[in-house]
Amino acid sequence: MCPSRRHPNPSRRVRVLGVPVLLCALLWPAPATTASEGPGASADVARLYEEASAATARYEEGRREARIQKRKVRKLDRLLAGKRRHVAVLHSDLGRMARAQYRTGGGLPYTAQLLLADSPDAVIRGRRALWLADLAVNSAVTKTRRAVAGLAAAKDRAGRAKRSLDRSTARLAKLKRGIERKLETAQWTLQGEADRSVAAGKCRGAVRLHQQRTHVTRAWVTPVESYELSAGFDRAGGRWAGRHTGQDFAVGIGAPVRSVGAGRVESVSCGGSFGIEVVVRHKGGYYTQYAHLASVTVDQGERVRPGQWVGQAGTTGNSTGPHLHFEARLTPDLGSEVDPRKWLAERGVTL
């Protein structure tokens, strides 16, 4: 019996001979054979993913700069407080000097000082003391004015820094939100196209997307670059009747899905429990499967290199949310799967 689209039981989808195979071949949608198509929503999603990634990088860089700016502002605030204390001390010193001059006769006319003095030398000493006091007062006044000017400049710098920080943070946040809204719209447009293809039982051909040439130095990589692991191998769950035959990666619709290693595309098919899927044959007699895709970027028989995009993640087939279902197999067919985490670990890839 062919697996149910609503509740697939991967463990029962084994290779058999005879009439059941013929019936499944008649009932299940055929592999995709249409010609390569224009990028459309696939390209929009891929482009917006790049823009979102760049915007996020700029936003995070802005946040780092913001933290630095905030530290500068806090430092300026401490400087302002220190200058205020300095001004207060200078004003206190000025008051003490004025009071001292008053007590020592600093306000008396020079003639009166001569009449009241015991000797001319005392008058000269008194005048010198007053002159030194005047110098001290003038110096204190100058320092006070400089401190006040520095205080005003520091306040201005702090204000400019804060305003610049607020504007920059707001711009980056607005840019990021705008790109994310566009990406979400494009993602569901892409998913809608994929759902219609699956419903019709006729997948679109390979969508040729511009992929920046990455210099992958390792022979094996993860099937998606950024992800969260969800359902694991051999686990039971509400979305399947028996054990789970692969490893799920929680990613967004349209996220690039890449071949974990060099190989040749064994098949590209559409429909059934796995929705749109790609199977790649690798050296050593192993196969990898990439399922629930929203689009494919390769054709059957095409050679792929490690890290090359083979499709875009989606939620086609028996899927309750966007994710990539990844399997490692001994044959191209279901029923020969091995633990994909252990299989990748043996090749130096840790999930």
Side-chain angles (χ1 to χ4, degrees), residues 204-236:
R204 300 170 61 201
V207 177
R208 300 303 179 180
L209 298 176
H210 172 70
Q211 178 184 354
Q212 293 182 347
R213 184 79 181 191
T214 55
H215 299 285
V216 177
T217 57
R218 302 180 60 180
W220 301 92
V221 298
T222 56
V224 285
E225 192 167 0
S226 300
Y227 58 87
E228 288 183 8
L229 295 177
S230 50
F233 179 73
D234 211 21
R235 283 178 49 189

Side-chain angles (χ1 to χ4, degrees), residues 34-193:
T34 57
S36 298
E37 299 191 12
S42 293
D44 291 339
V45 172
R47 173 180 55 81
L48 287 168
Y49 258 109
E50 291 182 1
E51 290 183 9
S53 176
T56 299
R58 290 195 296 271
Y59 179 72
E60 292 303 324
E61 178 63 25
R63 283 168 57 88
R64 286 191 291 271
E65 290 295 329
R67 288 192 290 270
I68 294 173
Q69 195 70 277
K70 286 180 180 178
R71 287 195 291 269
K72 289 181 179 179
V73 169
R74 287 195 295 268
K75 183 178 179 180
L76 286 172
D77 287 337
R78 291 193 296 270
L79 179 62
L80 294 180
K83 287 186 180 294
R84 290 191 184 100
R85 290 192 295 270
H86 187 206
V87 169
V89 169
L90 289 176
H91 279 298
S92 177
D93 289 343
L94 286 175
R96 285 197 301 272
M97 290 176 185
R99 290 191 297 272
Q101 279 189 311
Y102 180 78
R103 287 194 300 271
T104 57
L108 292 175
Y110 186 57
T111 302
Q113 292 179 37
L114 286 173
L115 293 174
L116 296 173
D118 295 333
S119 67
D121 289 340
V123 174
I124 293 173
R125 288 194 298 272
R127 292 299 298 173
R128 180 175 176 78
L130 289 176
W131 177 71
L132 291 174
D134 285 340
L135 284 179
V137 169
N138 290 333
S139 176
V141 169
T142 301
K143 289 180 179 179
T144 302
R145 288 175 177 171
R146 288 176 180 172
V148 170
L151 179 64
K155 281 184 177 179
D156 185 59
R157 288 195 300 271
R160 287 200 305 269
K162 288 179 180 178
R163 290 191 294 272
S164 175
L165 169 63
D166 292 340
R167 288 194 299 268
S168 176
T169 302
R171 283 196 303 269
L172 290 169
K174 183 177 180 181
L175 174 65
K176 187 171 180 287
R177 287 194 303 269
I179 294 176
E180 287 172 347
R181 284 195 296 268
K182 291 179 182 178
L183 175 59
E184 184 178 6
T185 299
Q187 284 175 319
W188 289 110
T189 299
L190 173 61
Q191 184 60 43
E193 293 178 355

